[in-house]
Amino acid sequence: MRDSIRIVRRGRIVEIDEVGPTETLLDYLRLRERATGTKEGCNEGDCGACTVVIGEWQGGRVRYRPVNSCIQFLGAMDGKEIVTVEDLAWPDGRLHPVQQALVDAHGSQCGFCTPGVVMSLFALYHREGRDGPPPREEIVTALAGNLCRCTGYRPIVEAALAALDGPPADRFVEAMGQTAGLLQFLADGQDVFLGSNSAFFAAPASLTALSQLTMKHPEATLLAGGTDVGLKITKRMSPISQVIHVGRVAALRQIEDVGDALILGAGVTYEDAAPAFAALDPDLGELVRRLGSRQVRAVGTIGGNIANGSPIGDMPPALIALGATLELAHGEDGRALPLEDYFIAYGKQDRQPGEFVAGLLVPKLMPNQVFRAYKVSKRFDQDISAVMGAFRFTIEDGVIVEARVAFGGMAATPKRARAAEARLSGAEPARAATWGAAIEALVEDFAPMSDMRASAAYRMETAKALLAKALVECAGAPSSRTRVVGRREAPEAEVA
């Protein structure tokens, strides 16, 4: 067991043996290193001013990803390279291609957001497989987590198109062999424990070590991507003295295709899960693309989103509609339960002290099944849902024989619409008169609340509209009539 963390900074290994349980990467950079190019803006992972890039050895290469340093715990950086805006230029003062392009395109005005913008574009510059300019839509998606009040984004996007016109060619490419060697050296498989039994940051490297720690310290806070736990520190000022980071457990980051289902470890990030989900169904891929920003998706995990039990998390309704099964681990024991049964009440989940979310089994769609998922939010990108609806219909000879309907934002937990499901049995998507009762049955399933995101009345009317929309699309209506984005190439009218 190691009592320090080790990171790569500017081509060398830095070992840190004094790490507070909840010390953030941003505080380390600004207060310890005095690397003040990285800014603190919202301090909740929303504005992107604090964006830095982390490098990891994955899949036989160095992989660069943007993260919000304000909500990333320093201890979770063990074994990674940290790249900040100060690191990009060559030693002789030549600017990085991204920086120079922003200068040439006048892509900075007040400048506060600029370091974060630069780092998001730096990560896109090193995106795996890129050898030329990406589509404009990909650039816009990469910048969705960087808020700028001055430029209107046009010169920033133009700078990105100019900087990315060709394969990567910067000082990081030149040093890639050295960086890869350092990161491989740091992947030692050792457990990390800093502090005492009363106050510590721990990062076990195996499932066995993780199980032992959670049993010994059942009150400890489990940390995955930090996109939720980080806010407890930066916004709620919650005192957290014991932290167990699960991100170094390789078994929790695996995705396995077992033919009729996907098995995902609880530590799989949204970014890593995105291709598999998109292959399962286009709506699922589009849902992941709109979940948070790239900085959030790079570290936020599927298991973490489930474990925190938020009633407005985007993934649980979709996974419930698909019939997902949750795996929980408790010491040497484990159990499985339908995902919808995990959520008991607001802030309460079916998880015992010392037990943790280990994985998820997601069934693939059968040939006679149709899936739809829709997210409604005030802001299109990087916003929390007002209503999230997900639907899976099993159809035989044009008739629904089984329906799974789940919503987020409509109750104290992600929840199935059992009354509506019952009334959909025997309905025909092509005949609206057969499913009108199911639409109205939603008032039996939900009594939504009003809050800053939507009124109760709006939520109910939106839920009804989303269910009707799913049925209309399944009946064969072209998605060009029902969608602004996420249009599907072919209708599902032929499903029988």
Side-chain angles (χ1 to χ4, degrees):
M1 185 175 292
R2 186 156 35 89
D3 60 358
S4 66
I5 67 166
R6 301 181 300 184
I7 60 175
V8 175
R9 284 289 284 140
R10 298 167 183 169
R12 65 187 184 91
I13 294 175
V14 177
E15 189 160 3
I16 311 168
D17 57 10
E18 293 185 7
V19 177
T22 59
E23 181 178 0
T24 66
L25 174 57
L26 178 63
D27 281 349
Y28 169 80
L29 292 171
R30 292 184 60 86
L31 303 180
R32 293 217 219 178
E33 282 196 7
R34 298 295 176 182
T36 54
T38 304
K39 306 304 182 186
E40 178 181 313
C42 66
N43 212 24
E44 60 184 31
D46 192 45
C47 74
C50 71
T51 301
V52 301
V53 167
I54 59 174
E56 294 183 86
W57 180 254
Q58 289 185 349
R61 66 182 295 271
V62 177
R63 181 183 179 191
Y64 286 115
R65 297 178 294 160
V67 300
N68 294 308
S69 61
C70 68
I71 53 174
Q72 283 296 293
F73 288 7
L74 176 60
M77 296 299 103
D78 181 70
K80 299 175 175 61
E81 179 187 20
I82 311 299
V83 184
T84 70
V85 69
E86 291 96 340
D87 307 332
L88 301 194
W90 273 273
D92 62 8
R94 284 179 295 148
L95 294 178
H96 188 275
V98 166
Q99 294 172 309
Q100 188 61 58
L102 281 166
V103 172
D104 296 340
H106 305 285
S108 176
Q109 290 190 33
C110 83
F112 193 85
C113 71
T114 302
V117 169
V118 167
M119 297 313 298
S120 287
L121 293 181
F122 170 82
L124 186 60
Y125 186 84
H126 282 277
R127 194 75 182 257
E128 183 178 4
R130 189 192 70 78
D131 60 2
R136 188 182 188 92
E137 292 76 15
E138 186 175 348
I139 294 173
V140 172
T141 296
L143 292 169
N146 295 90
L147 304 185
C148 176
R149 302 268 322 254
C150 302
T151 67
Y153 294 96
R154 180 189 57 77
I156 297 176
V157 174
E158 290 180 351
L161 288 168
L164 277 62
D165 187 15
D170 59 10
R171 61 190 299 249
F172 292 86
V173 173
E174 297 170 0
M176 193 61 70
Q178 177 186 354
T179 302
L182 293 175
L183 291 175
Q184 289 178 78
F185 174 77
L186 294 185
D188 57 11
Q190 284 186 303
D191 299 327
V192 172
F193 191 95
L194 297 94
S196 63
N197 283 330
S198 59
F200 62 81
F201 183 96
S206 68
L207 272 176
T208 298
L210 173 60
S211 297
Q212 291 172 347
L213 267 174
T214 55
M215 292 292 287
K216 183 178 180 181
H217 302 282
E219 301 302 318
T221 296
L222 297 184
L223 172 72
T227 57
D228 182 68
V229 175
L231 299 185
K232 294 181 179 179
I233 302 302
T234 62
K235 290 301 177 183
R236 301 178 196 170
M237 306 300 176
S238 301
I240 299 177
S241 58
Q242 300 176 336
V243 176
I244 300 175
H245 177 48
V246 304
R248 296 181 70 245
V249 181
L252 294 183
R253 301 183 65 175
Q254 303 299 313
I255 302 176
E256 184 180 0
D257 188 326
V258 293
D260 60 350
L262 294 175
I263 298 177
L264 298 94
V268 171
T269 65
Y270 293 112
E271 184 171 287
D272 290 341
F277 279 161
L280 195 153
D281 188 88
D283 275 17
L284 206 56
E286 177 66 12
L287 177 62
V288 173
R289 187 185 71 81
R290 287 186 57 200
L291 196 151
S293 61
R294 192 178 172 210
Q295 291 95 316
V296 168
R297 295 190 297 273
V299 291
T301 65
I302 309 298
N305 192 209
I306 291 169
N308 67 28
S310 170
I312 48 176
D314 284 338
M315 288 309 300
L319 295 170
I320 288 171
L322 287 167
T325 299
L326 191 64
E327 179 189 356
L328 297 162
H330 189 245
E332 297 181 356
D333 301 321
R335 63 186 176 109
L337 72 162
L339 179 57
E340 61 262 36
D341 293 343
Y342 175 73
F343 307 102
I344 299 173
Y346 181 77
K348 184 178 182 182
Q349 297 84 47
D350 184 3
R351 182 159 58 90
Q352 305 304 313
E355 192 172 40
F356 62 91
V357 175
L360 192 72
L361 184 144
V362 184
K364 293 183 180 179
L365 294 169
M366 302 293 288
N368 64 336
Q369 290 180 329
V370 177
F371 177 79
R372 290 292 187 271
Y374 312 115
K375 171 174 177 164
V376 177
S377 56
K378 286 186 174 181
R379 189 173 67 199
F380 182 80
D381 283 311
Q382 200 191 358
D383 200 5
I384 294 173
S385 294
V387 178
M388 164 63 207
F391 317 91
R392 190 189 76 182
F393 306 120
T394 304
I395 303 174
E396 295 180 2
D397 298 324
V399 176
I400 297 175
V401 296
E402 190 244 4
R404 292 180 67 93
V405 175
F407 283 97
M410 292 290 290
T413 65
K415 183 183 172 184
R416 286 179 66 178
R418 301 280 187 174
E421 290 176 354
R423 287 169 175 79
L424 282 170
S425 180
E428 302 173 40
R431 296 178 59 220
T434 65
W435 41 260
I439 301 294
E440 295 306 317
L442 289 174
V443 299
E444 302 175 34
D445 289 310
F446 301 105
M449 63 177 289
S450 297
D451 61 17
M452 68 184 72
R453 296 185 181 90
S455 68
Y458 176 86
R459 283 190 160 105
M460 181 56 70
E461 289 304 308
T462 299
K464 291 180 179 180
L466 293 183
L467 177 53
K469 178 178 180 176
L471 290 162
V472 166
E473 286 189 2
C474 292
S479 64
S480 59
R481 300 179 184 175
T482 57
R483 302 188 180 203
V484 177
V485 295
R487 295 176 181 174
R488 303 170 74 100
E489 294 298 323
E492 302 287 351
E494 68 276 8
V495 172

